[in-house]
Amino acid sequence: MIQKLRWKFVLINMLIVTAILVSIGTVMVVSTRDSLRKDSINLLRQAVSEDFALSWPLTPNDDRGFSFEEEDVSLPYFTVAVGVDGTTFLLDNQFGTIDEDELVDVVALCLAEQSDMGLLRSYGLRYMRVSTRTGWRIAFADISQERSTLRSLYITLLFISLGALAAFFVLSLLLARWAVRPVERSWAQQRQFVSDASHELKTPLSVIVSNVDMLQECGESLNDRELRWLDNIRASSDQMTYLVEELLTLARAENDQSGKELVKEAVPLSDLVTDEALLFEPILYEAGKELDDHITENLLVTGDPGKLRRLVNILLDNARKYADSPSVVSLRLEPEGTKRVRLTVNTKGEPIPHDQLERIFERFYRADQARASEGFGLGLSIASQIAQEHGGRLWAESSPDEGNTFLFSMPRLREENKVLAGHTSY
């Protein structure tokens, strides 16, 4: 839980920083692009509005090349005039050497456009044209510098953002460790308290149970009322003993060393689930429920057979407690793809609200408060812990039509280890 909280803290920090960087980058790109576009348009507007002396006419059949000496201008541009007969005149050239045929093609392409201002992307030019008494006056500006500036800005922002994200990621890890430290300390103290309290409670409970047993065995002089009191004490003591054992199980599972002590061996899960189904079949029958089981044979996993048996036991016992009577409890064990196995327990009953499907795996939480006397709300929490220890996942689904379904998925035993499972007891 502490690890999840730490990573959640890091994720939130990174999302905030990413949103800020994206916002800043977007503003910079948009403002720079608009500024460059505005400068280019102002240049074109000035170029088409000025009166220039006419240069010699150009036609597609002219084989003369020509060039003008470049001046110091902010953007390369050139201006042409087009007569009503299609003759093209070069009015001003701040562009450099211009190929005659390309100039004629550019002018023809511009005149074919519907808008008086736009881009000729294939030539990398922005144009602006105005109608005159003798035809058209068109100004062209080079946008290669505009593109190059934006491209450099993109690359610069990308490297700055990646560097900033990397730095903030490291900083977030350090901050998360510092921020979560009080919670981690408190959680460790709580866990230690539960473990110590459970151990301390076991001794007085054992004394109470032993004394009750002795009184019942040597209680010939006790009347029926007094014997009934002893039965009540014994029943409550057994209930408290069960609660203490459940708390100890959770404490051991949450202990930092539990992962190292987990027994890992080849487990024939199909046989294990079959045995649990046979054990619960008469119990469910007595509760007015029928067990319908479909178990795929020869499914093997790696893990602790005792804990896996406990998980299956918890799910079937949960079905016994909360399934409608009469109803059918469906138990399925089947492959999930080629690398995992899935255990499914489906019951018909009051649907679990969707906002409680995750909370039911919290300790002491029960979605059905009307059945508060059924257990202590620790079983599903223990089962979820066992699933995590085995690299699996336990979750619940609920719908009015399908009922309540608990699903457990975990990795399947690799093919090369299956031969060992035949010699493993569980």
Coordinates of all heavy atoms in Angstrom, one line a residue, residues 322-396:
Y322 N -23.4 -15.6 1.3 CA -24.1 -14.5 0.7 C -25.0 -14.9 -0.5 O -25.7 -14.1 -1.0 CB -23.2 -13.4 0.3 CG -22.5 -12.8 1.5 CD1 -21.1 -13.1 1.8 CD2 -23.1 -12.0 2.4 CE1 -20.5 -12.6 2.9 CE2 -22.5 -11.5 3.6 CZ -21.1 -11.8 3.8 OH -20.5 -11.3 4.9
A323 N -24.9 -16.1 -1.0 CA -25.7 -16.5 -2.1 C -27.1 -16.7 -1.7 O -27.4 -17.1 -0.5 CB -25.2 -17.8 -2.7
D324 N -28.1 -16.5 -2.6 CA -29.5 -16.7 -2.3 C -29.7 -18.2 -2.0 O -29.0 -19.1 -2.5 CB -30.3 -16.2 -3.4 CG -30.5 -14.7 -3.4 OD1 -30.1 -14.1 -2.4 OD2 -30.9 -14.2 -4.5
S325 N -30.7 -18.5 -1.2 CA -31.1 -19.9 -1.0 C -32.6 -20.0 -1.3 O -33.5 -19.3 -0.8 CB -30.9 -20.2 0.5 OG -31.2 -21.5 0.8
P326 N -32.9 -21.0 -2.2 CA -32.0 -21.8 -3.0 C -31.4 -21.1 -4.2 O -32.0 -20.2 -4.8 CB -33.0 -23.0 -3.4 CG -34.3 -22.3 -3.6 CD -34.4 -21.2 -2.5
S327 N -30.2 -21.6 -4.6 CA -29.6 -21.0 -5.8 C -28.4 -22.0 -6.2 O -28.1 -22.9 -5.4 CB -29.1 -19.6 -5.6 OG -28.0 -19.6 -4.6
V328 N -27.8 -21.7 -7.3 CA -26.7 -22.5 -7.8 C -25.4 -21.7 -7.7 O -25.3 -20.5 -8.1 CB -26.9 -23.0 -9.2 CG1 -25.7 -23.7 -9.7 CG2 -28.1 -23.8 -9.3
V329 N -24.4 -22.2 -7.0 CA -23.1 -21.6 -6.9 C -22.2 -22.2 -8.0 O -22.0 -23.4 -8.1 CB -22.4 -21.8 -5.6 CG1 -21.0 -21.3 -5.5 CG2 -23.3 -21.2 -4.5
S330 N -21.7 -21.4 -8.9 CA -21.0 -21.8 -10.1 C -19.5 -21.7 -9.8 O -19.0 -20.6 -9.4 CB -21.3 -21.1 -11.3 OG -20.5 -21.4 -12.4
L331 N -18.7 -22.8 -9.9 CA -17.3 -22.7 -9.7 C -16.6 -23.1 -11.0 O -16.8 -24.2 -11.6 CB -16.9 -23.7 -8.6 CG -15.4 -23.9 -8.3 CD1 -14.8 -22.6 -7.8 CD2 -15.1 -25.0 -7.3
R332 N -15.7 -22.3 -11.5 CA -15.0 -22.6 -12.8 C -13.5 -22.4 -12.6 O -13.0 -21.4 -12.0 CB -15.4 -21.6 -13.9 CG -16.9 -21.7 -14.2 CD -17.2 -22.9 -15.1 NE -18.6 -22.9 -15.5 CZ -19.6 -23.4 -14.8 NH1 -19.4 -23.9 -13.6 NH2 -20.8 -23.4 -15.3
L333 N -12.7 -23.3 -13.1 CA -11.3 -23.2 -13.2 C -10.9 -23.5 -14.6 O -11.1 -24.7 -15.1 CB -10.6 -24.1 -12.2 CG -9.0 -24.1 -12.3 CD1 -8.5 -22.7 -11.8 CD2 -8.4 -25.2 -11.4
E334 N -10.3 -22.6 -15.3 CA -10.0 -22.8 -16.7 C -8.7 -22.0 -17.1 O -8.3 -21.0 -16.4 CB -11.2 -22.4 -17.6 CG -11.7 -20.9 -17.3 CD -13.1 -20.7 -17.8 OE1 -13.6 -21.6 -18.5 OE2 -13.6 -19.6 -17.6
P335 N -8.1 -22.3 -18.2 CA -7.0 -21.6 -18.7 C -7.4 -20.2 -19.1 O -8.5 -20.0 -19.7 CB -6.4 -22.4 -19.9 CG -7.1 -23.7 -19.8 CD -8.4 -23.5 -19.1
E336 N -6.5 -19.2 -18.9 CA -6.7 -17.8 -19.4 C -5.6 -17.5 -20.4 O -4.5 -17.1 -20.0 CB -6.7 -16.9 -18.3 CG -7.1 -15.4 -18.7 CD -7.1 -14.5 -17.5 OE1 -6.5 -14.9 -16.4 OE2 -7.6 -13.4 -17.6
G337 N -5.8 -17.8 -21.7 CA -4.7 -17.7 -22.6 C -3.8 -18.9 -22.5 O -4.2 -20.0 -22.1
T338 N -2.5 -18.6 -22.7 CA -1.5 -19.7 -22.6 C -0.6 -19.5 -21.4 O 0.1 -20.5 -21.0 CB -0.6 -19.7 -23.8 OG1 0.0 -18.5 -24.0 CG2 -1.5 -20.0 -25.1
K339 N -0.7 -18.4 -20.7 CA 0.2 -18.1 -19.6 C -0.4 -18.0 -18.2 O 0.3 -17.8 -17.2 CB 1.0 -16.8 -19.9 CG 1.9 -16.9 -21.2 CD 2.7 -15.7 -21.4 CE 3.6 -15.8 -22.6 NZ 4.4 -14.5 -22.8
R340 N -1.8 -18.0 -18.2 CA -2.4 -17.8 -16.9 C -3.6 -18.7 -16.7 O -4.0 -19.4 -17.7 CB -2.9 -16.3 -16.8 CG -1.8 -15.3 -16.9 CD -2.4 -13.9 -16.7 NE -2.8 -13.6 -15.4 CZ -1.9 -13.2 -14.5 NH1 -0.6 -13.0 -14.7 NH2 -2.3 -12.9 -13.2
V341 N -4.1 -18.8 -15.5 CA -5.3 -19.6 -15.1 C -6.2 -18.7 -14.4 O -5.8 -17.7 -13.8 CB -4.9 -20.8 -14.3 CG1 -4.1 -21.8 -15.0 CG2 -4.3 -20.4 -12.9
R342 N -7.5 -19.0 -14.5 CA -8.5 -18.2 -13.9 C -9.5 -19.0 -13.1 O -10.0 -20.0 -13.7 CB -9.3 -17.3 -15.0 CG -10.4 -16.5 -14.4 CD -11.2 -15.7 -15.4 NE -10.4 -14.6 -15.8 CZ -10.9 -13.6 -16.6 NH1 -12.2 -13.7 -17.0 NH2 -10.2 -12.6 -17.0
L343 N -9.7 -18.6 -11.9 CA -10.7 -19.2 -11.0 C -11.9 -18.3 -10.9 O -11.7 -17.1 -10.6 CB -10.1 -19.6 -9.7 CG -11.1 -20.1 -8.6 CD1 -11.5 -21.5 -9.0 CD2 -10.5 -20.1 -7.2
T344 N -13.1 -18.8 -11.1 CA -14.3 -17.9 -11.1 C -15.4 -18.6 -10.2 O -15.7 -19.8 -10.3 CB -14.9 -17.8 -12.5 OG1 -13.9 -17.3 -13.4 CG2 -16.1 -16.8 -12.5
V345 N -15.9 -17.8 -9.3 CA -17.0 -18.2 -8.4 C -18.1 -17.2 -8.6 O -18.0 -16.0 -8.3 CB -16.5 -18.2 -6.9 CG1 -17.7 -18.7 -6.0 CG2 -15.4 -19.2 -6.7
N346 N -19.3 -17.7 -9.1 CA -20.4 -16.9 -9.4 C -21.6 -17.3 -8.5 O -21.9 -18.5 -8.3 CB -20.8 -17.0 -10.8 CG -22.1 -16.3 -11.2 OD1 -23.2 -16.9 -11.2 ND2 -22.0 -15.0 -11.4
T347 N -22.3 -16.3 -7.9 CA -23.4 -16.6 -7.1 C -24.6 -15.7 -7.5 O -24.3 -14.6 -8.0 CB -23.1 -16.4 -5.6 OG1 -22.7 -15.0 -5.4 CG2 -22.0 -17.3 -5.1
K348 N -25.8 -16.1 -7.2 CA -27.0 -15.3 -7.4 C -27.4 -14.7 -6.1 O -27.5 -15.4 -5.1 CB -28.1 -16.2 -8.0 CG -27.8 -16.9 -9.3 CD -27.4 -15.9 -10.4 CE -27.1 -16.6 -11.7 NZ -26.7 -15.7 -12.8
G349 N -27.6 -13.4 -6.1 CA -28.0 -12.7 -4.8 C -28.1 -11.3 -5.1 O -28.1 -10.8 -6.2
E350 N -28.2 -10.5 -4.0 CA -28.3 -9.1 -4.1 C -27.0 -8.5 -4.8 O -25.9 -8.7 -4.3 CB -28.5 -8.5 -2.7 CG -28.8 -7.0 -2.7 CD -30.2 -6.7 -3.3 OE1 -31.0 -7.5 -3.2 OE2 -30.4 -5.5 -3.7
P351 N -27.1 -7.8 -5.9 CA -25.9 -7.3 -6.5 C -25.1 -6.3 -5.6 O -25.7 -5.6 -4.9 CB -26.5 -6.5 -7.8 CG -27.9 -7.0 -8.0 CD -28.4 -7.4 -6.6
I352 N -23.8 -6.4 -5.8 CA -22.9 -5.5 -5.0 C -22.9 -4.2 -5.7 O -22.6 -4.2 -6.9 CB -21.5 -6.1 -4.9 CG1 -21.6 -7.5 -4.2 CG2 -20.6 -5.2 -4.1 CD1 -20.3 -8.2 -4.2
P353 N -23.2 -3.1 -5.1 CA -23.1 -1.8 -5.7 C -21.7 -1.6 -6.4 O -20.7 -2.0 -5.8 CB -23.3 -0.8 -4.6 CG -24.1 -1.5 -3.6 CD -23.6 -3.0 -3.7
H354 N -21.6 -0.9 -7.5 CA -20.4 -0.8 -8.2 C -19.3 0.1 -7.4 O -18.1 -0.2 -7.6 CB -20.6 -0.1 -9.6 CG -21.2 -1.0 -10.6 ND1 -20.5 -2.0 -11.3 CD2 -22.5 -1.2 -11.0 CE1 -21.4 -2.7 -12.1 NE2 -22.6 -2.2 -11.9
D355 N -19.8 1.0 -6.6 CA -18.9 1.8 -5.8 C -18.3 1.0 -4.7 O -17.4 1.5 -4.0 CB -19.5 3.1 -5.3 CG -20.7 2.7 -4.4 OD1 -21.3 1.6 -4.5 OD2 -21.1 3.6 -3.6
Q356 N -18.7 -0.2 -4.4 CA -18.2 -1.1 -3.3 C -17.5 -2.3 -3.8 O -17.0 -3.1 -3.0 CB -19.4 -1.5 -2.4 CG -20.2 -0.4 -1.8 CD -21.3 -0.8 -0.9 OE1 -21.3 -2.0 -0.4 NE2 -22.2 0.0 -0.5
L357 N -17.3 -2.4 -5.1 CA -16.7 -3.6 -5.7 C -15.2 -3.7 -5.3 O -14.6 -4.8 -5.2 CB -16.8 -3.6 -7.2 CG -18.2 -4.0 -7.7 CD1 -18.2 -3.9 -9.3 CD2 -18.6 -5.4 -7.3
E358 N -14.6 -2.6 -5.0 CA -13.2 -2.6 -4.6 C -13.1 -2.5 -3.1 O -12.2 -3.1 -2.5 CB -12.4 -1.4 -5.2 CG -12.3 -1.5 -6.7 CD -11.4 -0.3 -7.3 OE1 -10.9 0.4 -6.4 OE2 -11.3 -0.2 -8.5
R359 N -14.1 -1.9 -2.4 CA -14.0 -1.7 -1.0 C -14.2 -3.0 -0.2 O -13.8 -3.2 0.9 CB -15.0 -0.7 -0.5 CG -14.8 0.7 -1.0 CD -15.5 1.7 -0.2 NE -15.1 1.7 1.2 CZ -15.7 2.3 2.2 NH1 -16.8 2.9 2.0 NH2 -15.2 2.2 3.5
I360 N -14.9 -4.0 -0.9 CA -15.2 -5.2 -0.2 C -13.9 -6.0 0.1 O -13.9 -7.0 0.9 CB -16.1 -6.1 -1.0 CG1 -15.6 -6.4 -2.4 CG2 -17.5 -5.5 -1.1 CD1 -16.4 -7.4 -3.2
F361 N -12.8 -5.6 -0.5 CA -11.5 -6.3 -0.2 C -10.7 -5.6 0.9 O -9.6 -6.0 1.2 CB -10.7 -6.4 -1.5 CG -11.3 -7.2 -2.6 CD1 -12.0 -6.7 -3.6 CD2 -11.2 -8.6 -2.5 CE1 -12.6 -7.4 -4.6 CE2 -11.8 -9.4 -3.5 CZ -12.5 -8.8 -4.5
E362 N -11.3 -4.5 1.4 CA -10.7 -3.9 2.6 C -11.0 -4.7 3.8 O -12.1 -5.2 4.0 CB -11.2 -2.4 2.7 CG -10.9 -1.6 1.5 CD -11.5 -0.2 1.6 OE1 -12.1 0.1 2.7 OE2 -11.4 0.6 0.7
R363 N -10.1 -4.6 4.8 CA -10.4 -5.4 6.0 C -11.5 -4.8 6.8 O -11.7 -3.6 6.9 CB -9.1 -5.4 6.9 CG -8.6 -4.0 7.3 CD -7.4 -4.1 8.2 NE -6.3 -4.6 7.5 CZ -5.1 -4.8 8.1 NH1 -4.9 -4.4 9.4 NH2 -4.1 -5.3 7.5
F364 N -12.3 -5.6 7.4 CA -13.5 -5.3 8.2 C -14.6 -4.7 7.4 O -15.6 -4.3 8.0 CB -13.1 -4.4 9.4 CG -12.1 -5.0 10.3 CD1 -10.8 -4.5 10.4 CD2 -12.5 -6.1 11.1 CE1 -9.9 -5.0 11.3 CE2 -11.5 -6.7 12.0 CZ -10.3 -6.1 12.0
Y365 N -14.5 -4.6 6.1 CA -15.6 -4.0 5.3 C -16.5 -5.0 4.8 O -16.1 -6.0 4.2 CB -15.1 -3.1 4.2 CG -16.2 -2.4 3.4 CD1 -16.6 -1.2 3.8 CD2 -16.7 -2.9 2.2 CE1 -17.6 -0.5 3.2 CE2 -17.7 -2.3 1.6 CZ -18.2 -1.1 2.0 OH -19.2 -0.4 1.4
R366 N -17.9 -4.8 4.9 CA -18.9 -5.7 4.4 C -19.9 -4.9 3.7 O -20.5 -3.9 4.2 CB -19.5 -6.5 5.5 CG -18.6 -7.7 5.9 CD -19.2 -8.3 7.2 NE -19.0 -7.4 8.3 CZ -19.1 -7.8 9.6 NH1 -19.3 -9.1 9.9 NH2 -19.0 -6.9 10.5
A367 N -20.2 -5.3 2.4 CA -21.2 -4.5 1.6 C -22.6 -4.8 2.2 O -23.4 -3.9 2.1 CB -21.1 -4.9 0.1
D368 N -22.8 -6.0 2.7 CA -24.1 -6.4 3.2 C -24.1 -6.2 4.7 O -23.8 -7.2 5.4 CB -24.5 -7.8 2.7 CG -26.0 -8.1 3.0 OD1 -26.6 -7.3 3.6 OD2 -26.4 -9.2 2.5
Q369 N -24.5 -5.1 5.2 CA -24.5 -4.8 6.6 C -25.6 -5.6 7.3 O -25.6 -5.8 8.5 CB -24.7 -3.3 6.9 CG -23.6 -2.5 6.4 CD -22.3 -2.8 7.0 OE1 -22.2 -3.2 8.1 NE2 -21.2 -2.6 6.2
A370 N -26.6 -6.1 6.6 CA -27.7 -6.9 7.2 C -27.2 -8.2 7.7 O -27.8 -8.9 8.5 CB -28.9 -7.0 6.2
R371 N -26.0 -8.7 7.1 CA -25.5 -10.0 7.5 C -24.2 -9.8 8.3 O -23.2 -10.5 8.1 CB -25.2 -10.8 6.3 CG -26.5 -11.0 5.4 CD -26.2 -11.9 4.3 NE -27.3 -12.0 3.3 CZ -27.3 -12.8 2.3 NH1 -26.3 -13.6 2.0 NH2 -28.4 -12.8 1.5
A372 N -24.2 -8.7 9.1 CA -23.0 -8.4 9.9 C -22.5 -9.5 10.8 O -21.3 -9.6 11.2 CB -23.2 -7.1 10.7
S373 N -23.4 -10.4 11.1 CA -23.0 -11.5 12.0 C -22.2 -12.6 11.3 O -21.6 -13.4 11.9 CB -24.2 -12.1 12.7 OG -25.1 -12.6 11.7
E374 N -22.2 -12.5 10.0 CA -21.5 -13.6 9.2 C -20.0 -13.1 9.0 O -19.7 -12.4 8.1 CB -22.2 -13.7 7.8 CG -23.5 -14.3 7.8 CD -23.5 -15.8 8.0 OE1 -22.4 -16.4 7.8 OE2 -24.5 -16.4 8.3
G375 N -19.2 -13.6 9.9 CA -17.7 -13.3 9.8 C -17.4 -11.9 10.3 O -18.2 -11.2 10.8
F376 N -16.1 -11.5 10.0 CA -15.6 -10.3 10.5 C -15.2 -9.3 9.3 O -14.6 -8.3 9.6 CB -14.4 -10.5 11.4 CG -14.7 -11.3 12.6 CD1 -14.5 -12.7 12.6 CD2 -15.3 -10.7 13.7 CE1 -14.8 -13.5 13.7 CE2 -15.6 -11.5 14.8 CZ -15.4 -12.9 14.8
G377 N -15.4 -9.7 8.1 CA -15.0 -8.9 7.0 C -13.5 -8.9 6.7 O -12.9 -8.0 6.1
L378 N -12.8 -10.0 7.1 CA -11.4 -10.2 6.8 C -11.1 -11.2 5.7 O -10.0 -11.2 5.2 CB -10.7 -10.6 8.1 CG -10.6 -9.6 9.3 CD1 -10.1 -10.2 10.5 CD2 -9.8 -8.4 8.8
G379 N -12.0 -12.0 5.4 CA -11.7 -13.1 4.5 C -11.3 -12.6 3.1 O -10.2 -13.1 2.6
L380 N -12.0 -11.7 2.5 CA -11.7 -11.3 1.2 C -10.4 -10.4 1.2 O -9.6 -10.5 0.2 CB -12.8 -10.4 0.6 CG -14.1 -11.2 0.2 CD1 -15.1 -10.2 -0.3 CD2 -13.8 -12.2 -0.9
S381 N -10.1 -9.7 2.3 CA -8.8 -9.0 2.4 C -7.7 -10.0 2.4 O -6.6 -9.8 1.8 CB -8.9 -8.2 3.7 OG -7.6 -7.5 3.9
I382 N -7.8 -11.1 3.2 CA -6.8 -12.1 3.2 C -6.6 -12.8 1.8 O -5.5 -13.0 1.3 CB -7.1 -13.2 4.3 CG1 -7.1 -12.6 5.7 CG2 -6.2 -14.4 4.2 CD1 -7.6 -13.5 6.7
A383 N -7.7 -13.1 1.1 CA -7.7 -13.7 -0.2 C -6.9 -12.7 -1.2 O -6.1 -13.2 -2.0 CB -9.1 -14.0 -0.7
S384 N -7.2 -11.4 -1.1 CA -6.6 -10.5 -2.0 C -5.1 -10.4 -1.7 O -4.3 -10.3 -2.7 CB -7.2 -9.1 -1.8 OG -6.6 -8.1 -2.6
Q385 N -4.7 -10.5 -0.5 CA -3.3 -10.5 -0.1 C -2.6 -11.7 -0.6 O -1.5 -11.7 -1.2 CB -3.1 -10.4 1.4 CG -1.7 -10.2 1.9 CD -1.2 -8.8 1.6 OE1 -1.9 -7.9 1.7 NE2 0.1 -8.7 1.3
I386 N -3.2 -12.9 -0.5 CA -2.7 -14.1 -1.1 C -2.5 -14.0 -2.6 O -1.5 -14.5 -3.2 CB -3.6 -15.3 -0.7 CG1 -3.6 -15.5 0.8 CG2 -3.1 -16.6 -1.4 CD1 -4.6 -16.6 1.3
A387 N -3.5 -13.4 -3.3 CA -3.4 -13.3 -4.7 C -2.2 -12.4 -5.1 O -1.5 -12.7 -6.0 CB -4.7 -12.7 -5.2
Q388 N -2.0 -11.3 -4.4 CA -0.9 -10.5 -4.7 C 0.5 -11.2 -4.4 O 1.4 -11.0 -5.2 CB -0.9 -9.2 -3.8 CG -2.1 -8.3 -4.2 CD -2.2 -7.1 -3.3 OE1 -1.2 -6.7 -2.7 NE2 -3.4 -6.5 -3.1
E389 N 0.5 -12.0 -3.4 CA 1.8 -12.7 -3.1 C 2.1 -13.7 -4.2 O 3.3 -14.0 -4.4 CB 1.6 -13.5 -1.8 CG 1.6 -12.6 -0.5 CD 1.4 -13.4 0.7 OE1 1.2 -14.6 0.6 OE2 1.4 -12.8 1.8
H390 N 1.1 -14.2 -4.9 CA 1.4 -15.1 -6.0 C 1.4 -14.5 -7.4 O 1.3 -15.2 -8.4 CB 0.3 -16.2 -6.0 CG 0.4 -17.2 -4.8 ND1 0.0 -16.8 -3.6 CD2 0.9 -18.4 -4.8 CE1 0.3 -17.9 -2.8 NE2 0.8 -18.8 -3.5
G391 N 1.6 -13.2 -7.4 CA 1.6 -12.5 -8.7 C 0.3 -12.5 -9.4 O 0.3 -12.3 -10.7
G392 N -0.8 -12.6 -8.7 CA -2.1 -12.7 -9.3 C -2.9 -11.5 -9.0 O -2.5 -10.5 -8.4
R393 N -4.2 -11.6 -9.3 CA -5.2 -10.5 -9.1 C -6.5 -11.1 -8.7 O -7.0 -12.1 -9.3 CB -5.3 -9.6 -10.3 CG -6.3 -8.5 -10.2 CD -6.4 -7.7 -11.5 NE -7.5 -6.7 -11.4 CZ -8.4 -6.6 -12.3 NH1 -8.3 -7.4 -13.4 NH2 -9.3 -5.7 -12.2
L394 N -7.1 -10.5 -7.7 CA -8.5 -11.0 -7.3 C -9.4 -9.7 -7.4 O -9.1 -8.7 -6.8 CB -8.4 -11.5 -5.8 CG -9.8 -11.9 -5.2 CD1 -10.4 -13.1 -6.0 CD2 -9.6 -12.2 -3.8
W395 N -10.5 -9.9 -8.1 CA -11.4 -8.8 -8.2 C -12.9 -9.3 -8.3 O -13.1 -10.5 -8.4 CB -11.1 -7.9 -9.5 CG -11.4 -8.5 -10.8 CD1 -12.5 -8.3 -11.6 CD2 -10.6 -9.5 -11.5 NE1 -12.4 -9.0 -12.8 CE2 -11.3 -9.8 -12.7 CE3 -9.4 -10.2 -11.2 CZ2 -10.8 -10.7 -13.7 CZ3 -8.9 -11.1 -12.2 CH2 -9.6 -11.3 -13.4
A396 N -13.8 -8.4 -8.3 CA -15.2 -8.8 -8.2 C -16.0 -8.0 -9.3 O -15.6 -6.9 -9.7 CB -15.9 -8.5 -6.9

